[in-house]
Amino acid sequence: MPFAPSRAIVAATAVAMTGLLAIPASGATPSSTAEATVFLPNPVQQLGLQNLADNKDADSAAFGPAYRRVVLSDLDGSGTLTGAYVTVKSKTGKPAAAVNGAFPVWHRDADQFEQVMGYYWVTTAQHYLQHLGFGGALRPVNQRQIQLRIDQFGGDNSFFRDDKANITLGKGGVDDAEDAEVIVHEYGHSVQDGQVAGFGTNLESGSIGEAFSDYLAVVVTSWAAGTPTLTDEACVADWDSVSYTLAPHCLRRVDENKHYPEDVIGEVHADGEIWSRALWDIRNALGDTRASTLIIDAQFDFAVDTSFHDAALHTVAAAQRLYGAGAASTVQAAFHARGFL
């Protein structure tokens, strides 16, 4: 599903590696690792600079402190960006290739930088799910190899295709693969499709899909990079949005004070902000691990066309099943506050 409506209309050193060496999915090739360079998660969030500009992919000294050397895991050992959970495809620039067991220090003016970003952040999102227990004590979630297509769409948009189980990241404005929260947002759609094939066939289920993907983008990047201190954690895609928003840049938020049904306008990204606020309130009340675990586990019970009300009931039930009556009461209160129950 698209990351956003048409944007012509909407007008430094060490990295914590917690959770980045999870075991590949059953049947995957032996795991290999290699160093590479990424944004963690994007330069606006890392540096707190609201005046950064794309300038047609030009690199500059201003971006320097945002580059981080990290370890890519779960690679297949071929020297390409192919691994247990993602294989990267690109028609712009040469495919990224490791040299002497490591990927060169590419910056944003090189197409290979975005390829590396895509691989790293999809794999990190899957490790986050495994960190919660999915694929261990809980059912696996999306432990499949997806195709990630970099810069193969000329517009400022990205999307997940459930018929082919792949993600396409656009290159209009700031190239979408330069912002980890855009990458993880699209992976969120893949997660839900992996749980319920074809999820999101009507307005309410589509809105839930956009909301969950925004939520996942924020929690995964905070888990991997730490809670941001220079920008607002609840803001999604600070860097990608510099091309079409005023400062402080933010595509959407997960803490908007919207209420169902009076704030419904019939557009999935806008209406999704009602659902994402409920998820955000659950996380604030129960903590990241318990909140995200029950939110994701509940989605196994969704229908492709689930309503806000039914999805809320399933999420309350998941809280009860996993953590008991107190957690269920907290989740119920969050959905009641948004008008879903």
Side-chain angles (χ1 to χ4, degrees), residues 95-117:
V99 178
N100 296 324
F103 289 91
V105 183
W106 290 302
H107 285 187
R108 66 181 300 265
D109 54 347
D111 295 316
Q112 294 84 359
F113 175 74
E114 295 166 46
Q115 297 172 34
V116 170
M117 279 283 291

Side-chain angles (χ1 to χ4, degrees), residues 1-5 7 121-122 125-126 129 141-144 146-148 157-169 176 180-218 220 236 251-252 267-273 275-276 279 296 299-300 302-304:
M1 289 187 178
F3 180 61
R7 288 165 186 168
W121 283 103
V122 167
Q126 176 55 224
L129 299 173
V141 172
N142 211 38
Q143 286 189 15
R144 56 182 174 176
I146 65 167
Q147 291 189 359
L148 184 68
N157 209 340
S158 295
F159 47 88
F160 168 75
R161 289 187 61 180
D162 56 3
D163 61 327
K164 295 182 180 296
N166 67 42
I167 292 170
T168 297
L169 298 172
D176 286 357
E181 292 187 333
V182 179
I183 299 167
V184 179
H185 172 98
E186 295 306 331
Y187 190 69
H189 290 305
S190 182
V191 166
Q192 288 186 315
D193 177 75
Q195 293 182 280
V196 181
F199 180 80
T201 59
N202 61 10
L203 176 63
E204 293 200 357
S205 60
S207 299
I208 290 169
E210 297 302 332
F212 169 72
S213 295
D214 280 353
Y215 172 86
L216 189 69
V218 172
V220 166
V236 182
L251 171 60
R252 285 184 295 277
E267 198 284 315
V268 292
H269 301 89
D271 295 349
E273 287 185 308
W275 185 263
S276 63
L279 303 186
I296 295 166
Q299 293 177 163
F300 282 111
F302 289 4
V304 294

Side-chain angles (χ1 to χ4, degrees), residues 20-171:
L20 297 186
L21 297 176
I23 298 173
S26 176
T29 55
S31 179
S32 175
T33 63
E35 288 190 353
T37 300
V38 299
F39 288 143
L40 202 73
N42 69 59
V44 173
Q45 190 175 121
Q46 290 170 260
L47 307 177
L49 299 178
Q50 296 290 337
N51 61 347
L52 290 174
D54 179 52
N55 291 328
K56 298 181 179 180
D57 294 346
D59 196 30
S60 72
F63 293 96
Y67 293 111
R68 296 288 189 275
R69 202 70 176 156
V70 297
V71 174
L72 307 184
S73 68
D74 303 295
L75 292 160
D76 69 355
S78 66
T80 66
L81 293 173
T82 304
Y85 309 116
V86 59
T87 180
V88 175
K89 308 288 185 180
S90 180
K91 289 184 178 178
T92 59
K94 294 181 179 179
V99 178
N100 296 324
F103 289 91
V105 183
W106 290 302
H107 285 187
R108 66 181 300 265
D109 54 347
D111 295 316
Q112 294 84 359
F113 175 74
E114 295 166 46
Q115 297 172 34
V116 170
M117 279 283 291
Y119 184 93
Y120 177 78
W121 283 103
V122 167
T123 302
T124 297
Q126 176 55 224
H127 290 165
Y128 174 79
L129 299 173
Q130 294 178 16
H131 143 81
L132 297 175
F134 293 103
L138 301 169
R139 288 171 284 183
V141 172
N142 211 38
Q143 286 189 15
R144 56 182 174 176
Q145 185 192 69
I146 65 167
Q147 291 189 359
L148 184 68
R149 301 181 180 277
I150 305 292
D151 288 350
Q152 294 191 18
F153 178 72
D156 195 3
N157 209 340
S158 295
F159 47 88
F160 168 75
R161 289 187 61 180
D162 56 3
D163 61 327
K164 295 182 180 296
N166 67 42
I167 292 170
T168 297
L169 298 172
K171 59 181 180 180

